[in-house]
């Protein structure tokens, strides 16, 4: 099954409850939560208290994307706030294998994210331990950027690597995805699609979520 993970980075921060409930009612399976620290990426969002506050308004999977330096310091806080999946950037972890095991020891799913210029070889020796790999199809830090085309061949290559393991590992793709290009991303092998501005900057976010889900159905 392909999962839609609307990113609340593009939601109304003054009324997150409304947008969380919209995601839930429209049928998106996951909620993508972008955490930025102003160091690893040049933007700041919010921390565990906000995640905890929105956790009360949906049972959907909380997919927490940490774009922060030294993520080990905060993983437990996001777990306690209600994260179901925690994804860290390979570039931020001094001991990536240890960080992945730490996330899994909490009983939740672990993901590793790679920037557009980061090689898939970063996954060597940890891939089989992962529940998800996040391929960044924009440089992290902001919503509303254009999809980087080289991501397509990277997704295809990762798909082959995962098939070779025989394991069930999600390929999430994040950045610059809309109704116009999502088909190609799925065809390349993505199983989890993040969409921020394509959902929340559209005239009717509920209808946009439903349109994404219809495309997912047709691609099965
Ligand atoms: C960017 C974030 C994305 C962002 C995507 O650093 O990781 O999740 O919300 O936004 P769009 O879909 O607008 O590119
Ligand atoms: Zn993200």
């Amino acid at each position: 099954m392909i999962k839609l993970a609307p990113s609340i980075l593009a939601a109304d921060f003054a009324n997150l409850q409304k947008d969380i409930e919209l995601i839930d009612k429209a049928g998106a399976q996951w909620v993508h939560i972008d955490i930025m620290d102003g160091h690893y990426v040049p933007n700041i969002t919010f921390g565990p208290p906000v995640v905890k506050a929105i956790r009360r308004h949906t049972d959907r999977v909380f997919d927490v994307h940490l774009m922060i330096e030294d993520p080990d310091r905060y993983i437990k806080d996001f777990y306690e706030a209600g994260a179901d999946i925690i994804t860290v950037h390979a570039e931020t972890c001094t001991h990536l294998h240890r960080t992945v095991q730490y996330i899994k020891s909490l009983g939740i799913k672990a993901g590793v994210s790679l920037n557009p210029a980061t090689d898939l070889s970063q996954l060597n020796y940890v891939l089989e331990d992962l529940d998800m790999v996040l391929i960044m199809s924009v440089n992290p830090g902001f919503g509303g950027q254009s999809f980087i085309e080289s991501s397509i061949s990277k997704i295809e290559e990762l798909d082959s690597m995962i098939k070779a393991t025989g394991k069930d590992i999600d390929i999430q793709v994040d950045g610059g995805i809309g109704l116009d290009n999502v088909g190609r991303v799925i065809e390349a092998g993505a199983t989890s699609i993040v969409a921020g501005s394509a959902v929340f900057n559209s005239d009717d976010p509920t209808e946009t979520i439903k349109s994404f889900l219809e495309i997912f159905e047709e691609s099965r």
Side-chain angles (χ1 to χ4, degrees):
M1 188 182 66
I2 300 166
K3 285 79 63 177
L4 183 66
S7 166
I8 57 167
L9 182 64
D12 180 0
F13 279 13
N15 202 341
L16 281 174
Q17 181 179 344
K18 173 177 79 52
D19 284 339
I20 290 289
E21 288 172 353
L22 183 154
I23 290 170
D24 189 314
K25 288 202 184 78
Q29 298 89 344
W30 295 4
V31 179
H32 186 79
I33 301 174
D34 287 307
I35 308 297
M36 306 186 186
D37 66 353
H39 290 273
Y40 177 59
V41 290
N43 196 4
I44 299 175
T45 54
F46 47 78
V50 173
V51 177
K52 189 175 177 190
I54 58 176
R55 183 70 280 185
R56 291 194 285 272
H57 301 290
T58 180
D59 291 326
R60 299 286 183 192
V61 169
F62 269 18
D63 162 36
V64 175
H65 177 192
L66 296 183
M67 286 161 277
I68 63 177
E69 282 176 7
D70 200 1
D72 291 25
R73 291 169 64 205
Y74 294 101
I75 283 167
K76 192 146 188 282
D77 292 341
F78 284 104
Y79 159 71
E80 286 172 352
D84 298 294
I85 306 169
I86 292 182
T87 299
V88 294
H89 271 256
E91 307 88 355
T92 63
C93 297
T94 313
H95 302 286
L96 182 60
H97 186 275
R98 176 183 287 155
T99 300
V100 168
Q101 304 309 323
Y102 176 41
I103 296 170
K104 289 173 43 159
S105 75
L106 299 169
I108 58 174
K109 293 188 169 180
V112 167
S113 179
L114 303 179
N115 282 333
T118 303
D119 199 272
L120 288 169
S121 63
Q122 290 287 319
L123 301 169
N124 288 352
Y125 314 109
V126 291
L127 182 60
E128 297 209 2
D129 290 335
L130 300 179
D131 298 292
M132 182 165 87
V133 177
L134 193 178
I135 297 292
M136 287 303 304
S137 43
V138 298
N139 286 294
F142 302 95
Q145 304 180 82
S146 300
F147 185 86
I148 296 171
E149 276 304 320
S150 58
S151 314
I152 294 286
S153 55
K154 197 172 184 183
I155 299 162
E156 289 168 345
E157 206 179 316
L158 173 61
D159 187 42
S160 307
M161 286 166 64
I162 289 175
K163 286 202 170 107
T165 70
K167 302 226 161 151
D168 186 17
I169 302 167
D170 273 307
I171 300 180
Q172 182 171 65
V173 186
D174 183 7
I177 302 179
L179 293 169
D180 53 330
N181 61 359
V182 70
R184 290 197 297 128
V185 177
I186 292 170
E187 209 178 308
T191 56
S192 169
I193 299 292
V194 178
S197 50
V199 169
F200 289 105
N201 293 352
S202 69
D203 292 340
D204 188 339
T206 298
E207 278 310 308
T208 304
I209 288 173
K210 289 184 175 163
S211 300
F212 270 108
L213 297 174
E214 277 166 25
I215 294 173
F216 295 179
E217 269 303 312
E218 286 162 12
S219 71
R220 286 169 63 148

